[in-house]
Amino acid sequence: EVQLVESGGGLVQPGGSLRLSCAASGFTFSSYAMSWVRQAPGKGLEWVSAISGSGGSTYYADSVKGRFTISRDNSRNTLYLQMNSLRAEDAALYFCAKRYCSGARCYSGADHWGQGTLVTVSS
Amino acid sequence: QSALTQPASVSGSPGQSITISCTGTSSDVGGYNYVSWYQQHPGRVPKLMIYDVSNRPSGVSNRFSGSKSGNTASLTVSGLQAEDEADYYCSSYTSSSTYVFGTGTKVTVL
C-alpha cells in the first residue's frame, strides 16, 4: 500500500526557515516524480514544486522560486522541501504527492497524496 | 502562472448531469493534453478523477468524464449522486514545465 507521510510543519516567524519531509513507502520511490502542493485554510490548491525520480530535474512555482528548494533522498525514500524567507502567504497545509504512472508510462496527475503538514507563518 | 478559471459553484439534482469548465491559455490547457481533475471532500485529501484530459484511473466511476476544446477543459459528472458533493479542481501542465491548478468549483447536490 502506498503511503506518504509529511512532517516538519509548525509555527515560524516571517523571514524564517522550515524543512518539510515526506516519507514514502509501498512503491519504488526512485521511479516516480514527486510534487509538493499547498492549500491555505479555506482556499484552493496551489502547485508548489516538483522533482524527477532521479532528483536531477526540479521545478518551482514563481511564487516560491528562489526561496524554496525541493530535493529527495532515494536511499531514504524521502522527499524534502526546504523553505526559506517565509512569508505570511506561505501559510498552508503542505501535501506531498506521487505522480500517476501505470505500467511503463507516467501521466499528468498525482494519484497518491499524504495527509499534509501545516505551516503557520506568524510573529 | 495565473490560476485556471473555474466557476465558483455548480449545482444539480440527483440523477442530473453537471459540467465544470476550466479555462486557461494556449500556454497551459490549450497547449497540452495534460489536464487532470481532482475531487476533494471537506477535510480530505484530493483524489485524482481524470488524467490527460479524458482518462480515468482505475476505480473511478465512469460517471466522470473529461474533455477539452481549445483553451477550455471540462469535467462532466453524469447521474449526479449525493457523494459527488465536493470541491473539484482542474490542473494543467504549462509551457514553463510547471503545473497550475484551477480556482476550484464547489459542487452541490440539491
Side-chain angles (χ1 to χ4, degrees):
Chain A
E1 179 193 3
V2 172
Q3 284 200 323
L4 298 171
V5 180
E6 301 93 338
S7 62
L11 174 63
V12 62
Q13 293 185 339
S17 298
L18 215 51
R19 188 175 86 153
L20 306 184
S21 299
C22 171
S25 61
F27 63 103
T28 305
F29 182 66
S30 60
S31 295
Y32 292 84
M34 299 290 295
S35 296
W36 288 99
V37 175
R38 67 186 181 186
Q39 186 169 36
K43 302 297 184 182
L45 300 173
E46 182 185 9
W47 182 86
V48 174
S49 183
I51 187 168
S52 61
S54 67
S57 297
T58 58
Y59 311 89
Y60 300 93
D62 286 346
S63 58
V64 306
K65 196 175 298 181
R67 300 187 299 121
F68 290 12
T69 302
I70 190 172
S71 62
R72 63 193 299 160
D73 184 338
N74 287 341
S75 68
R76 296 178 181 267
N77 290 347
T78 302
L79 175 72
Y80 302 101
L81 186 68
Q82 177 67 43
M83 304 187 297
N84 298 332
S85 302
L86 282 162
R87 306 166 179 167
E89 55 264 36
D90 295 319
L93 187 63
Y94 283 73
F95 298 101
C96 67
K98 167 188 161 291
R99 186 173 181 184
Y100 176 56
C101 300
S102 180
R105 282 198 62 185
C106 290
Y107 304 92
S108 66
D111 63 342
H112 287 89
W113 297 60
Q115 292 300 311
T117 186
L118 186 64
V119 172
T120 303
V121 183
S122 175
S123 55
Chain B
Q1 288 180 340
S2 298
L4 308 175
T5 301
Q6 298 181 231
S9 62
V10 172
S11 62
S13 299
Q16 287 187 331
S17 293
I18 61 165
T19 296
I20 302 168
S21 61
C22 170
T23 302
T25 70
S26 58
S27 295
D28 38 64
V29 174
Y32 307 92
N33 288 325
Y34 296 145
V35 175
S36 50
W37 288 89
Y38 298 88
Q39 176 192 64
Q40 187 180 31
H41 287 106
R44 305 295 298 272
V45 302
K47 176 185 178 182
L48 181 64
M49 306 301 284
I50 296 288
Y51 66 92
D52 290 4
V53 175
S54 59
N55 298 281
R56 283 184 309 275
S58 61
V60 172
S61 170
N62 59 10
R63 298 185 298 104
F64 292 85
S65 61
S67 63
K68 190 186 84 166
S69 178
N71 296 339
T72 299
S74 299
L75 174 72
T76 297
V77 185
S78 305
L80 200 62
Q81 299 180 0
E83 68 208 49
D84 300 330
E85 186 162 293
D87 293 325
Y88 291 81
Y89 297 91
C90 60
S91 175
S92 175
Y93 182 73
T94 81
S95 59
S96 301
S97 300
T98 61
Y99 285 85
V100 60
F101 279 98
T103 51
T105 298
K106 180 177 180 60
V107 168
T108 301
V109 181
L110 301 171

